[in-house]
């Protein structure tokens, strides 16, 4: 029987809630709805065991993980499945870089550290990466903060034989994935792009944080798109009434044969945390497989799952 992947997670917000609930759902139902890869190196969707969790919210620290994921301001809908206690109490997260050793000790027994905290805290992200490296744990950076794009950090992980995956996951079917696909379709069909824009509105706390700390997110979204010089990104909009949903509006203006005008408007509505979980489940298994097979650095198979993999602008 294959050994389950022992996962630690930083951030007990909506994305973690969607991931924890979803794993329980797939174990209980056996469904493959919405699953991209049922197995990765023999690891199924249910072959995940959470062994540690870190958060800075006083209300979540000390609670069992399966209880903490439902505390406000989390607003992901509860799935209709059994969710027994995880037996993992949420630990106080890293407050400053001087606590790297404490976090590294708490990672004992973990194989993969999933960094799912809010973007906009690059120093904190690098400190958690340092703790993972010290503990001999693979690190997955789902945020827009540069970790895998930090040449020194990536070199250290590679030298240690540890996987480092990042940066900024591309949601299972999000704005960047759809927008990039449409831009490529225009080029493939021989049309000339005139201009394009995207508008993103969301209601999660993660989205609110991105509105307040957009510094690394805008560049990361541009990294995911082609024809960047003709694409405009409107400032992110936080609307709490949207709950866990994100609403995106896309426009593409192009010219076809003899300059004939082509205009496309698309509205996309998704549950943002579910889109993150649908990719995180693959990233965790890719990281575990690479770790177990002694492959350090950035696994090639993970690159397309991020907006800003190593080598893209910061």
């Amino acid at each position: 029987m294959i050994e389950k992947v022992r996962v630690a997670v930083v951030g007990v917000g909506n994305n973690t809630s969607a991931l924890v609930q979803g794993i329980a759902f797939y174990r209980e139902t056996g469904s493959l709805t919405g699953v991209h890869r049922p197995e990765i190196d023999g690891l199924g969707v249910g072959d995940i065991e959470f062994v540690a969790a870190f958060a800075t919210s006083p209300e979540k620290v000390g609670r069992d993980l399966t209880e903490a994921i439902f505390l406000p301001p989390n607003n992901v809908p509860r799935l209709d499945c059994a969710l027994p206690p995880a037996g993992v109490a949420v630990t106080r997260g890293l407050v400053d870089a001087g606590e790297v050793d404490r976090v590294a000790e708490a990672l004992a027994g973990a194989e993969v550290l999933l960094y799912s905290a809010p973007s906009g805290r690059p120093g904190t992200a690098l400190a958690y990466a340092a703790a993972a490296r010290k503990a001999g744990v693979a690190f997955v950076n789902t945020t827009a903060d540069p970790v895998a794009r930090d040449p020194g950090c990536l070199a250290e992980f590679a030298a240690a034989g540890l996987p480092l995956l990042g940066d900024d996951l591309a949601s299972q079917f999000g704005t960047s994935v759809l927008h990039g696909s449409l831009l490529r379709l225009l080029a493939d069909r021989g049309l000339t792009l005139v201009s394009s824009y995207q508008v993103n509105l969301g209601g999660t706390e993660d989205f609110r944080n991105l509105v307040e700390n957009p510094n690394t997110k805008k560049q990361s979204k541009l990294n995911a798109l082609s024809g960047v010089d003709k694409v405009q990104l409107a400032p992110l909009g936080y609307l709490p009434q949207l709950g866990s949903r994100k609403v995106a509006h896309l426009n593409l203006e192009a010219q076809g044969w003899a300059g004939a005008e082509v205009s496309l408007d698309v509205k996309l509505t998704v549950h943002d945390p579910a889109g993150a979980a649908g990719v995180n489940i693959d990233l965790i298994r890719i990281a575990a497989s690479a770790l177990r097979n002694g492959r350090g650095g950035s696994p090639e198979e993970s690159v397309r799952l991020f907006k800003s993999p190593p080598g893209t602008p910061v």
Side-chain angles (χ1 to χ4, degrees):
M1 188 170 111
I2 195 158
E3 183 182 355
K4 288 184 177 180
V5 182
R6 301 182 300 280
V7 177
V9 61
V10 177
V12 186
N14 281 306
N15 290 356
T16 297
S17 179
L19 179 64
V20 172
Q21 290 192 73
I23 290 171
F25 170 82
Y26 286 112
R27 280 180 185 158
E28 181 176 300
T29 64
S31 170
L32 292 178
T33 299
V35 174
H36 179 218
R37 299 179 66 180
E39 283 196 5
I40 295 177
D41 199 13
L43 294 165
V45 175
D47 293 328
I48 308 295
E49 178 184 7
F50 291 95
V51 297
F54 301 88
T56 56
S57 169
E59 292 76 20
K60 294 176 182 177
V61 172
R63 302 287 190 97
D64 187 89
L65 177 61
T66 56
E67 179 184 4
I69 58 175
F70 295 111
L71 295 177
N74 292 10
N75 54 13
V76 174
R78 184 157 191 159
L79 296 179
D80 184 17
C81 65
L83 194 64
V88 174
V90 177
T91 302
R92 179 173 59 86
L94 189 150
V95 177
D96 59 62
E99 294 193 306
V100 166
D101 287 344
R102 174 179 68 83
V103 172
E105 290 176 4
L107 290 173
E111 292 180 281
V112 177
L113 178 57
L114 178 69
Y115 185 71
S116 190
S119 292
R121 303 170 185 172
T124 301
L126 286 170
Y128 272 109
R133 190 176 66 251
K134 189 177 184 70
V137 172
F139 190 78
V140 179
N141 177 35
T142 71
T143 77
D145 296 325
V147 178
R149 282 173 292 166
D150 184 304
C153 187
L154 182 58
E156 289 172 345
F157 269 80
L162 297 172
L164 175 60
L165 290 67
D167 298 314
D168 198 11
L169 68 83
S171 184
Q172 191 172 21
F173 196 76
T175 315
S176 296
V177 169
L178 179 58
H179 200 170
S181 296
L182 291 172
L183 290 169
R184 288 190 295 273
L185 179 61
L186 286 182
D188 289 345
R189 303 304 295 173
L191 278 76
T192 300
L193 180 67
V194 175
S195 66
S196 184
Y197 67 77
Q198 65 170 257
V199 179
N200 292 278
L201 307 171
T204 66
E205 280 297 293
D206 295 333
F207 214 90
R208 181 181 67 81
N209 173 71
L210 290 173
V211 170
E212 296 174 357
N213 300 284
N215 49 347
T216 55
K217 189 66 175 180
K218 181 176 180 180
Q219 181 60 55
S220 186
K221 290 183 77 67
L222 288 172
N223 289 344
L225 302 175
S226 57
V228 170
D229 58 326
K230 296 180 180 179
V231 176
Q232 293 186 353
L233 306 178
L236 300 174
Y238 172 61
L239 298 175
Q241 60 266 41
L242 289 177
S244 65
R245 289 173 296 156
K246 179 173 76 175
V247 178
H249 298 274
L250 305 177
N251 169 266
L252 294 90
E253 301 292 333
Q255 291 180 331
W257 178 260
E261 294 181 357
V262 176
S263 181
L264 176 66
D265 287 282
V266 178
K267 176 184 176 182
L268 172 69
T269 302
V270 294
H271 281 274
D272 220 21
V279 177
N280 280 335
I281 191 64
D282 287 357
L283 291 172
I284 288 169
R285 292 178 294 166
I286 290 171
S289 174
L291 181 71
R292 293 176 180 184
N293 288 286
R295 294 190 290 129
S298 175
E300 181 62 31
E301 63 269 35
S302 73
V303 169
R304 65 183 184 84
L305 300 180
F306 291 101
K307 296 186 185 77
S308 296
T312 54
V314 174

